[in-house]
Amino acid sequence: MVSARVGRGAVLGAVALSLFAVPARAATAEPDTPGEASLAAPDTAGVAAALKQAVSAGAPGAMALIDDHGTTYKATLGLADRSTRRALTADDRFRIGSVTKTFSAVVLLQLADEHRLALDAPVNRYLPKLLPDDRITVRQVLSHRSGLYDYTNDMFADSVSGFEAVRNKVFTYRQLVALSLKKPRTNAPGAAYAYSNTNFVVAGMLIEKLTGQSVRTAYEDRIFKPLKLRDTFYVHPETTIPGRYARGYLTPDRAGTPLVDATVQTVSWAQSAGAIISSTRDLDTFYSALLSGRLMSAARLGEMERFGPVNSTTAYGLGLRRRALSCGVFVYGHTGIVQGYYTYAFATKDGSRSLAAVANTSNNEGVQSAMGGVLESAFCGKQGKAKG
């Protein structure tokens, strides 16, 4: 395998961009927008600049991996561990937060393929009396249109004290749903998009009820093992990340306060809404496989890709975001925020180009904005609009 250094910089460590040639994947879908069949080459210098900006804004480290028809571009910058000063590497694992939601949606859509689930059926058909409204459907849960209040709004009203209160706590799914149901619903079922972690807690309950297995087993048997995702785990309620990993640092609300090492936690407050651990390589593999049609039937993938508007640049399907970039290209995937990590994982409509990127901090708008620039450079090339 041949490698070539194509870029270098220095902020808390070197930026390394390397190119590896491996067999290309075949495209299996038509382009979603004009020009997507002939995307501009990834702007590796722009990727490096976005990661540098994220570190300058307060992230200990940041990295990205682009897979373009089987050719990979890796970029790493800064530290995986502030105590030991170990440099971040492209092989480090991390907590992916709400990117977990796509994994949960995939399992439920596979169950729909198996005629064990109807998307437009009430959730209460499968989980009797769980929800106070029989009109709330599985589709509405997976598209954030159920109206169920997001209990994390209250749980993390203060970032550090809220986190420390749940860092080692183990919740049941029903306890989390009960926290949501203490508050009025945000809208009538199906009336509007309102992002809520409660929806994907319900998704986890549906997975366990319909499969008779834990979500961990369902993820492993249906996604992790078939795709050979060797860095991807669901360890809840265990608190550690297996193998080599990047530590995650929570930025406190009060400026000038030291970062909090949030690596060790149960993530029980999220579970099927946000507790998976992975790597940039595995996330690229996952979204490429999903969008190229390897994880479910074409009909179910079509259901997943029925998008409703969120704002001027983003739409949401079933556990899947569609994001419009400045060059007119649409990309598909999910973002993830969990204490200590910001994750972006997106791919083109046919899965032929994918990107996974992470910064090992959270609660920092400057870092989050800078990481958005990685998407622009990865999919729009040099014509991408810089962020931040």
Side-chain angles (χ1 to χ4, degrees), residues 66-361:
I66 303 167
D67 186 326
D68 184 22
H69 292 84
T71 298
T72 63
Y73 303 80
K74 299 179 182 181
T76 61
L77 172 65
L79 301 176
D81 188 324
R82 297 175 73 232
S83 296
T84 66
R85 310 299 293 177
R86 182 176 74 79
L88 190 66
T89 75
D91 294 326
D92 284 328
R93 297 165 179 168
F94 50 90
R95 300 190 186 279
I96 68 172
S98 287
V99 179
T100 300
K101 291 178 171 67
T102 308
F103 287 81
S104 296
V106 165
V107 173
L108 287 177
L109 287 162
Q110 289 176 344
L111 291 168
D113 265 334
E114 296 163 14
H115 306 291
R116 299 163 70 181
L117 173 73
L119 292 173
D120 292 311
V123 169
N124 284 351
R125 175 185 296 178
Y126 307 105
L127 299 166
K129 299 182 180 180
L130 175 69
L131 302 180
D133 192 332
D134 285 340
R135 295 176 299 166
I136 298 174
T137 67
V138 176
R139 187 188 302 277
Q140 290 163 355
V141 163
L142 293 180
S143 60
H144 292 297
R145 294 179 182 275
S146 69
L148 294 170
Y149 180 79
D150 188 348
Y151 60 86
T152 66
N153 292 339
D154 302 319
M155 189 176 283
F156 302 123
D158 181 272
S159 61
V160 175
S161 63
F163 167 64
E164 294 295 359
V166 300
R167 179 198 282 262
N168 295 306
K169 193 165 184 178
V170 177
F171 294 93
T172 67
Y173 282 131
R174 288 188 178 272
Q175 286 174 328
L176 296 175
V177 172
L179 290 175
S180 169
L181 296 182
K182 287 180 180 179
K183 293 296 184 72
R185 278 170 280 159
T186 55
N187 50 259
Y193 171 91
Y195 191 91
S196 174
N197 285 288
T198 309
N199 289 313
F200 280 80
V201 168
V202 173
M205 296 180 73
L206 286 166
I207 290 169
E208 295 198 341
K209 179 63 178 292
L210 294 168
T211 64
Q213 301 172 321
S214 66
V215 291
R216 179 192 300 200
T217 300
Y219 293 147
E220 289 174 349
D221 290 350
R222 292 171 172 272
I223 304 173
F224 301 171
K225 292 176 182 176
L227 294 182
K228 297 181 172 59
L229 304 182
R230 65 177 185 268
D231 297 319
T232 306
F233 305 90
Y234 184 85
V235 302
H236 174 269
E238 297 169 28
T239 60
T240 55
I241 300 174
R244 185 184 180 96
Y245 58 87
R247 303 194 73 85
Y249 298 93
L250 173 62
T251 305
D253 293 322
R254 188 156 51 91
T257 306
L259 298 177
V260 174
D261 189 331
T263 312
V264 175
Q265 59 167 305
T266 61
V267 202
S268 194
W269 62 266
Q271 299 186 52
S272 51
I276 286 178
I277 294 159
S278 193
S279 67
T280 53
R281 176 182 53 240
D282 277 6
L283 291 180
D284 277 351
T285 298
F286 170 65
Y287 278 106
S288 293
L290 170 61
L291 290 160
S292 64
R294 292 169 51 198
L295 290 176
M296 65 187 69
S297 70
R300 295 292 81 73
L301 183 57
E303 297 276 7
M304 193 176 211
E305 295 174 344
R306 288 173 56 183
F307 296 100
V310 174
N311 55 38
S312 60
T313 60
T314 305
Y316 205 92
L318 303 183
L320 188 69
R321 291 189 188 278
R322 185 185 69 193
R323 185 159 171 167
L325 302 181
S326 65
C327 59
V329 168
F330 287 164
V331 291
Y332 304 79
H334 217 287
T335 52
I337 302 174
V338 64
Q339 291 91 354
Y341 306 92
Y342 281 128
T343 302
Y344 285 74
F346 286 85
T348 51
K349 180 69 176 294
D350 63 2
S352 63
R353 183 182 299 180
S354 55
L355 161 80
V358 65
N360 60 340
T361 195

